[in-house]
Amino acid sequence: MYKGNYEGLHRRIKMNRDNFIYAAIITGSLDLIRDLPEGDEIDMCEGMERMAEGFRNEGRIIGRSEGLMEGEKREKKTTLLSLLKVKLGNVSNQLEQAIQNSSIEKLNTLTLSIFDITNEDDVLKIIN
């Protein structure tokens, strides 16, 4: 498996329980040893499936977090553009594009400075 050869992983391979615990510690997969079945040997297929499920759960958590952050950023851009259109009367395509390409940090700074803005140049100075 380490070399990328996954043939034969379907075989029912048993591993010494202590070795399984050591492997979990070394790989930082302590959650795998939380509910270990009793006995001297661990079925590696079951162990691999538990490890894979742990990775899938971690991926789901990261994906949700990134999705929430992306949604927050998109919402902030929309709100800022709406506020700037009200404040300045109109927003150029250049400014709209600059806002769309801005980081969340720049958008936060712009949000805090919204009352000080009098023209598009003020906005560009903040986000560039």
Side-chain angles (χ1 to χ4, degrees), residues 12 17 43 72 74 128:
R12 305 299 279 182
R17 179 185 172 89
D43 183 334
E72 176 189 344
R74 190 171 30 252
N128 287 330

Side-chain angles (χ1 to χ4, degrees), residues 81-93 95-96 119-120:
L81 284 169
S82 296
L83 290 172
L84 289 169
K85 286 176 185 175
V86 170
K87 182 151 180 114
L88 303 176
N90 198 4
V91 175
S92 70
N93 288 339
L95 180 61
E96 191 166 337
N119 56 47
E120 286 194 13

Side-chain angles (χ1 to χ4, degrees), residues 79-118:
T79 302
L80 281 168
L81 284 169
S82 296
L83 290 172
L84 289 169
K85 286 176 185 175
V86 170
K87 182 151 180 114
L88 303 176
N90 198 4
V91 175
S92 70
N93 288 339
Q94 177 192 1
L95 180 61
E96 191 166 337
Q97 198 62 33
I99 289 173
Q100 291 298 336
N101 295 330
S102 293
S103 67
I104 192 70
E105 292 81 14
K106 295 288 185 174
L107 296 174
N108 288 337
T109 302
L110 179 58
T111 300
L112 294 173
S113 306
I114 196 80
F115 294 115
D116 301 327
I117 293 169
T118 58

